[in-house]
Amino acid sequence: MAFLGYLALSVVLFGHGALFHPNSVCACAGDGDPTSFMWSFDWWPHAIFHGLNPFVPHVIWAPEGANLTQGGFALPAATLLMIPVTVVAGPMVSYNIVSVLLPALAAWFAYRLCDYMTGNFGAAFVGGLVFGFGTYMSAHLLGHLNLASVFLAPAAVLLVHQRLEGEISQRRFVVLMAVVFGVQVLLSAEMLLIGLLVGGFALLVAYAVSDAERRGRIARLVPAALAGGGLAMLVTSPFLYWTIHGLGDADSNAWKTFTDLYPGDALNPLLPTEVTWIGHSWFKDTTSKFTNFTPSEAGAYVGPVLLGIVVAFAITQWRRAATKVLLAVIVVCYVLSLGTELHVGGDAKGVWMPWAALHPLPVLDHVISTRFWAYALLSIAIAVALWLAAPGPRQGLRWAVAAIGVLLLIPNLSSDFWDGRPTDPAFFRTDAYKEHIRKGERVLALPYARYGSSMLWQARTGMDFDLVEGYVSPEFPPDYRHDPFFGTLISGRVGKDSPAGLRDFLTRRKVTAVVIDASNPAGWPFVLGALGLKPVKTGGVLFYRVPAA
């Protein structure tokens, strides 16, 4: 019953646009990251049915290819599950289904955990709403399916509690934890890594604040959890191999530059950003500077009401060991989410933050600090549920306050954030491309790489052609990164030397066709015209045939 309620709410809040047009409207912000996930939904069945290595596609960044596990766009757990839908209805439909399911699943698993801890349906349901429909989820549903895949975090906590209370056997605990670890790594290795760090810290705090008998249970739990992790590593070893391989080949400077772009802001938990409906315009001058104007990474808003409930919970229930653990997790995740330097209202204050000591470490240099907030939000959701369920006077007032706190989290439905329309011209959406592009030939699509929708275009055709570009990671393949014309392609800033530079690039990459988004051609038609190439205007694109000479 709770799950159906959450699912209906998710459809209303995030899937309303895609509900009646699932193959043209996306429950996302539009172009960019979402189209790369859509590409993954088509790539995995294509690779499996054609006997290709799914981890290193050569249909992008041709012929060098790229490691798909590097940037979080692989999402094999979801893409493999959705193969029947993708084959029948297409990658955008699969994306929309997963996008709508993720908040409902996160809320339901949080509800299960809160219900276990409180025995109160209403309080548990509110806890589920806080976790599954908080601003963290709203923000990352703009286009980060991997980061919105956090529903297994409350599932893992529930299993830990059940094992500590002896309600499930050790064998069952090991197997179920292996499932949790294995599926999570196939959804988001980054969120699993952060979850392991936070979970380990929570167990240490629980051990410190517990009595001797409870400490013994926690100590016995750790080997079983490690066994579950080992089993998960065995089952997912092919994915982990390519992930580790990608980490070894990664440009650490490029990743550090990328991850440092999105520091958390100290005011974010208090001030709503543009992804939140109520109050988003009141503090716009301040919140627009959070995480370098990227609303998808500024997802820490909880609001003063829910934060006030957490404070009231801490005061009234401080003696409970669970209270100390929850508060410790909230504080540590908040501090780590702020990044390497303190930012307040978008301004760097030059104050050293603890993440600066951890971020340079191997693997952690690929982590964006703001994502720690997902686990702070889970702790906040539990605290709210425990506060509501606690006996005491003025129960009606408590529920009224909690209702106001939840209402403040409503996504900004006045925007088109979850009603996106990726650039999806009829040229690729239909079979029109077959009249112009030969199977297997090499294509340059413009706008280039992450700034266009070439990944969706290729997915629409079932990978019928290769691209000399792609977007599956913030890092670009070395052979392309060092290409003399690469900077011009990425920036889109053409000049007097661009025709000669483009001619040499097309020759080096053996490109036989160029396709330009007719709605966003920039200066590229001029450059191609200078090379003597004339376009065919069809299906929302400008198509150019590149002669062999």
Side-chain angles (χ1 to χ4, degrees), residues 144-169:
H144 297 160
L145 288 188
N146 58 329
L147 304 177
S149 301
V150 292
F151 61 90
L152 289 171
V157 178
L158 178 58
L159 287 175
V160 167
H161 276 280
Q162 290 176 328
R163 179 58 195 146
L164 287 175
E165 299 302 325
E167 297 175 3
I168 57 175
S169 67

Side-chain angles (χ1 to χ4, degrees), residues 31-76:
D31 290 326
D33 289 359
T35 57
S36 291
F37 283 109
M38 293 175 198
W39 179 90
S40 285
F41 279 105
D42 195 80
W43 164 250
W44 282 89
H46 174 83
I48 291 170
F49 296 155
H50 290 82
L52 304 175
N53 180 353
F55 304 108
V56 186
H58 291 276
V59 296
I60 55 174
W61 300 114
E64 185 176 358
N67 189 328
L68 186 55
T69 67
Q70 243 184 327
F73 290 107
L75 216 68

Side-chain angles (χ1 to χ4, degrees), residues 466-500:
D466 295 349
L467 284 168
V468 290
E469 60 198 276
Y471 178 45
V472 293
S473 167
E475 183 182 355
F476 305 110
D479 189 43
Y480 277 86
R481 192 168 65 245
H482 299 139
D483 189 284
F485 197 63
F486 184 73
T488 302
L489 286 169
I490 285 291
S491 68
R493 299 189 186 96
V494 298
K496 63 180 181 179
D497 296 330
S498 294

Side-chain angles (χ1 to χ4, degrees), residues 75-243:
L75 216 68
T79 54
L80 294 175
L81 180 66
M82 297 301 294
I83 282 179
V85 176
T86 303
V87 170
V88 173
M92 190 179 294
V93 176
S94 290
Y95 181 102
N96 283 327
I97 291 173
V98 172
S99 185
V100 170
L101 278 175
L102 287 176
L105 287 170
W108 185 70
F109 276 104
Y111 156 78
R112 290 285 307 276
L113 172 60
C114 292
D115 186 53
Y116 176 86
M117 298 182 70
T118 66
N120 185 310
F121 173 83
F125 193 84
V126 171
L129 288 175
V130 172
F131 182 65
F133 295 90
T135 305
Y136 173 88
M137 183 65 70
S138 302
H140 284 297
L141 282 181
L142 295 177
H144 297 160
L145 288 188
N146 58 329
L147 304 177
S149 301
V150 292
F151 61 90
L152 289 171
V157 178
L158 178 58
L159 287 175
V160 167
H161 276 280
Q162 290 176 328
R163 179 58 195 146
L164 287 175
E165 299 302 325
E167 297 175 3
I168 57 175
S169 67
Q170 180 161 298
R171 179 181 299 179
R172 183 177 178 83
F173 174 77
V174 169
V175 171
L176 291 177
M177 286 301 289
V179 172
V180 168
F181 290 148
V183 174
Q184 185 62 65
V185 78
L186 296 179
L187 288 170
S188 173
E190 180 181 5
M191 295 310 295
L192 175 61
L193 174 62
I194 296 173
L196 291 174
L197 293 174
V198 175
F201 171 75
L203 282 177
L204 285 174
V205 175
Y207 186 87
V209 300
S210 297
D211 56 31
E213 193 273 335
R214 189 74 170 180
R215 288 182 179 181
R217 294 186 193 178
I218 294 172
R220 291 190 293 273
L221 176 82
V222 173
L226 292 175
L231 183 58
M233 291 175 63
L234 181 64
V235 174
T236 62
S237 55
F239 181 83
L240 292 174
Y241 168 80
W242 286 104
T243 300

Side-chain angles (χ1 to χ4, degrees), residues 6-23 25-28 93 95-103 133 141 411 413 417-420:
Y6 292 138
L7 182 60
L9 184 60
S10 184
V11 170
V12 170
L13 295 179
F14 305 117
H16 55 275
L19 183 61
F20 299 106
H21 307 282
N23 203 29
V25 178
C26 169
C28 67
V93 176
Y95 181 102
N96 283 327
I97 291 173
V98 172
S99 185
V100 170
L101 278 175
L102 287 176
F133 295 90
L141 282 181
L413 298 181
F417 280 146
W418 306 277
D419 192 19

Side-chain angles (χ1 to χ4, degrees), residues 514-541:
V514 177
V515 182
I516 300 177
D517 172 15
S519 66
N520 185 23
W524 293 113
F526 167 78
V527 176
L528 287 158
L531 295 177
L533 303 182
K534 296 183 179 180
V536 175
K537 300 180 181 180
T538 176
V541 305

